[in-house]
Amino acid sequence: MGKIDIQVGSQRHELPCSAGEERLLREAKSMIEQEARTLRKLHPRADDMQLLFLTAVSVADLALAVKAELRAEQNRVRSLEIALRSLREAR
């Protein structure tokens, strides 16, 4: 079993992971640490707990936006499938 260290502010967090999860967790680590660095520049007086919270909210916001885009695309695919079915039936 591996582990990935993620740092937010001066706090280091160790996450255990199985061999198949390492690549995904490394990507998540990069995203979280980059977001924390960006937020640190915007909120230089935030303590580590505030920075961790801001990072969590920011990443959650991104996840919700992606989820909304996915839903919109799924609806678009469903509409196209219905239109295609209608065209096939009209033949």
Side-chain angles (χ1 to χ4, degrees), residues 1-4 16-27:
M1 178 170 261
K3 65 180 178 180
I4 303 291
C17 62
S18 60
E21 297 175 318
E22 286 181 2
R23 184 191 59 78
L24 180 63
L25 276 179
R26 285 189 201 290
E27 287 181 34

Side-chain angles (χ1 to χ4, degrees), residues 24-60:
L24 180 63
L25 276 179
R26 285 189 201 290
E27 287 181 34
K29 168 191 168 140
S30 177
M31 179 182 177
I32 290 166
E33 288 180 345
Q34 178 58 46
E35 193 62 29
R37 283 190 295 274
T38 299
L39 289 166
R40 173 62 76 199
K41 290 176 187 171
L42 293 172
H43 306 280
R45 294 185 177 167
D47 63 31
D48 284 346
M49 194 55 110
Q50 291 168 326
L51 183 61
L52 183 60
F53 176 75
L54 289 169
T55 302
V57 169
S58 183
V59 171

